[in-house]
Amino acid sequence: MDVYSDITCLKGVGPKTGENLKKCCIFSILDLLLYFPRDYEMISSCSSLTDEKNIGKLIINCKVVKIDKDIRTKNGKTISTVIFNDGNNIFKGKWFNQPYMKNYFKINCDYTIMGKLQDFKGETSIINPTLVKNRSNEENSEKIMPKYPLKSGITNSLIAKLVNYVLKDVDIDENLPEWIINRYKLCSLDRAIRIIHNPSSMKELQEARRRLKFQELFTYSLKILMLKNYFNENKKGIAFKISDELKLLKEKLPYDLTKAQNRVIREILIDQKKESPMNRLVQGDVGSGKTVVALISAFNIIKNGYQAVIMAPTEILATQHYLEAEKLFEDFNINVKLLCGSTTQKNKEEIKRDLKDGNIDLIIGTHALIEDNVEFKNLGVVVTDEQHRFGVMQRSRLTNKGKNVDTLVMTATPIPRTLSLYLYGDLDVSVIDELPPGRQKIETHYIKEDLKYKAYNFALEEIKKGRQVYIVCPLVEENEDLDLSSVENLYSELKEEYFSEIPIEILHGKMTPKIKDEVMNRFKSGEVKVVISTTVIEVGINVPNATLMIIENAERFGLAQLHQLRGRVGRGQHKSYCILISNIKNDIIRRRMEIMKSSNDGFFIAEQDLKIRGSGEIFGFRQHGEDGLILSDIAEDIDILKMANLEAKKLIESNNEKDIKIKNEIFKKIEQTSKFICFN
Ligand code: ADP
Ligand code: MG
């Protein structure tokens, strides 16, 4: 079986399933094998619920007591409820948008169901339980079940079935040099892939994960080293002059630049003057004023007669930059345009034509800019904002639209310095380590769940003063519907109890970009006073009149992400607050909340987080997708990353024939796929 063949060549994968698999980015058999479980579940059988809470999935025998009528939520979702009795306890089974599920049950009959016990609006419930038909006899058995990330039309059992079908038929060749395998006592690639899909013990799983993480980070390091080599070899870029008009521009600014901003701009201008292409990362905490630094850099390039492009991860952000650019450049004869997914077709065509003809000097936009038919006459600089949202590959696709252009990437993600070298090995780093003067510290508090009402009452006071409020709920990753209903439920609850007289709106990831933007614009204009949202508001949004950020279930966020969210307030002249609502279940959570309360320094927070947890969503994001890291977490796996980086360097420098062969093969694969675990 050729792992590169199309997924639809598998038996049992028809056009419809093929379509759905493709929506999960499974195009080939290789993609399927690399579609790793995002988690595993220990499934244990139990006879009674009482002592078994919080341990993962349960299999339980129970009798149906009652079948409730379906409830419809405002968004047209149905919630079906069946009430069970396991002999000792009454509990509810709830299904979202699966009204047919209740039909499998009859009152007073016995069933075996499987699911995870959760508190849903204060009641012990199993959300979306499944019916177990043939329960095995081993009463107290435990099993490790893979849980795959799921999207439309794809079920866990489908993926598991396909994976096992393929695994029967393939042999995966080893593709790391033997000296590396031996040195780090790694298991074979074939074994690792098999185990990751079907672990029989946690120990085995650890072994497989270690091997695959090493592989990922090794190839990742190779890629970054390659990019660096590439830049060193192709030294000939454009040597820009320093424009006289820069002074005028600075005079036009409504404020003085901070020392740090001036220093970073100087560093950038020095790069621009050099003939070799600039490759610089600007790191600066939220609110440190990166946008103006980007705009000034673009300005100098434009005044040299070249074009500039700024790419942002969302339309809201791109629009914000666009408005700022228009205002700043208004007296300087610069043609600025905005290109996003929602730009009308007619406008798009016109913009593309003008870009190609060189009539546009500065184009600001979203991913839409990466499209193949966006061409430039003479591109001079590519700026990407909020770098962590884009992959290395997306960045280079934009860069390739010009010839040896300068690259500037901006990020607020406070990456501890020790890490940035490995992460951004191909970039020079500048740091804006100072906030504009007069910024007040955001007063941060944490309170327990049962004192929530204090936060909402405080929100009412702020609104009375004319201010605005953000309320953020975490994503409940397990279940998108539950996710949504957590935002929706909070909305109805708050609307009824606290904000009945106040314009309040919802914002979540399932809305179209257009609707999201409309909500945000109403918030920006002050028409809407409160937005309740998932983390979609996390990056870059600037609403100076918002002074209170309430974060629900704060313990579920990474500290860096909490810091980013908090950075949405404290952007104007009013004193701002952040209230973290959190169930302090243990000491670690308390310490994390204390750090948030005591510090406003993103770098410090990130480093502390690394110290106490050393794991998980430290950046508040996982570099999934474009950057190709499926398993590894750069923070958690820093030790593996260091080893992998070291060995990657050795491989690049090695003249051993076998090594050169392996190296060439890996390089070839890196160019074909964005993933870092590749097969020969
Ligand atoms: P970020 O670094 O988070 O992208 P922005 O560039 O959005 O920050 O800047 C945040 C706010 O600070 C904006 O309203 C911007 O106009 C303002 N700002 C930037 N630099 C300065 C400065 N030197 N003095 C005062 N305000 C500034
Ligand atoms: Mg910004």
Side-chain angles (χ1 to χ4, degrees), residues 422-485:
Y422 297 107
L423 267 178
Y424 300 113
D426 60 326
L427 297 168
D428 300 308
V429 180
S430 293
V431 183
I432 309 183
D433 50 4
E434 179 186 359
L435 294 181
R439 288 280 164 79
Q440 300 171 20
K441 194 168 177 280
I442 300 162
E443 196 177 311
T444 303
H445 298 277
Y446 57 90
I447 56 176
K448 281 203 218 136
E449 191 79 28
D450 49 0
L451 296 177
K452 274 167 92 137
Y453 68 91
K454 285 194 175 174
Y456 306 135
N457 283 330
F458 185 64
L460 284 171
E461 281 174 36
E462 286 296 293
I463 294 165
K464 231 184 259 162
K465 284 194 227 156
R467 305 286 88 77
Q468 289 163 280
V469 178
Y470 294 103
I471 302 177
V472 175
C473 305
L475 295 168
V476 186
E477 223 206 291
E478 244 157 69
N479 183 324
E480 282 190 341
D481 292 322
L482 190 63
D483 226 23
L484 203 52
S485 63

Side-chain angles (χ1 to χ4, degrees), residues 286-287 289-291 317 320-321 385-386 410 412 539-541 568 571:
V286 276
K290 292 184 292 296
T291 318
L317 215 50
Q320 203 170 278
H321 292 341
D385 193 19
E386 305 297 350
M410 328 288 290
V539 274
I541 304 297
R568 298 308 107 220
R571 300 190 144 236

Side-chain angles (χ1 to χ4, degrees), residues 363-377:
I363 182 85
I364 299 177
T366 57
H367 294 83
L369 292 165
I370 303 179
E371 284 171 27
D372 287 337
N373 55 2
V374 176
E375 294 169 58
F376 292 84
K377 183 167 183 219

Side-chain angles (χ1 to χ4, degrees), residues 48-153:
S48 165
L49 291 183
T50 22
D51 17 304
E52 301 282 352
K53 280 194 186 175
N54 301 323
I55 63 155
K57 260 194 189 169
L58 301 174
I59 297 186
I60 188 157
N61 294 324
C62 48
K63 199 188 260 321
V64 171
V65 180
K66 186 164 168 266
I67 299 173
D68 280 355
K69 260 184 106 173
D70 287 356
I71 297 173
R72 262 190 180 279
T73 66
K74 260 198 233 107
N75 269 30
K77 307 243 165 238
T78 52
I79 304 180
S80 317
T81 307
V82 173
I83 299 171
F84 296 102
N85 186 345
D86 71 344
N88 293 312
N89 304 282
I90 303 277
F91 65 93
K92 291 185 174 177
K94 279 185 185 289
W95 290 268
F96 290 89
N97 270 349
Q98 301 174 56
Y100 50 87
M101 278 304 291
K102 63 178 179 301
N103 302 335
Y104 292 116
F105 298 93
K106 283 204 185 82
I107 290 183
N108 270 331
C109 292
D110 291 309
Y111 299 91
T112 305
I113 62 170
M114 179 168 84
K116 199 171 176 175
L117 220 50
Q118 277 171 305
D119 272 343
F120 182 69
K121 296 182 96 182
E123 291 172 329
T124 306
S125 312
I126 296 186
I127 308 295
N128 294 336
T130 50
L131 201 54
V132 179
K133 292 200 184 104
N134 304 311
R135 187 180 187 183
S136 65
N137 297 328
E138 324 139 36
E139 268 302 307
N140 280 317
S141 63
E142 286 202 338
K143 238 186 113 185
I144 304 177
M145 283 257 294
K147 276 169 72 180
Y148 293 97
L150 299 175
K151 270 193 205 138
S152 58

Side-chain angles (χ1 to χ4, degrees), residues 598-638:
S598 64
S599 174
N600 263 279
D601 175 346
F603 285 87
F604 175 79
I605 290 173
E607 242 137 20
Q608 290 303 306
D609 205 14
L610 201 58
K611 267 192 203 144
I612 38 176
R613 297 199 318 153
S615 73
E617 336 116 39
I618 191 143
F619 304 133
F621 69 93
R622 296 190 62 107
Q623 298 223 331
H624 274 196
E626 273 290 322
D627 252 353
L629 297 181
I630 312 173
L631 284 180
S632 320
D633 181 307
I634 298 281
E636 189 180 340
D637 302 317
I638 178 88

Side-chain angles (χ1 to χ4, degrees), residues 1 10 29 32-33 162-170:
M1 189 183 286
L10 282 183
I29 292 176
L32 177 72
L33 288 176
L162 293 175
V163 165
N164 288 320
Y165 176 72
V166 169
L167 281 178
K168 262 196 222 130
D169 244 17
V170 289

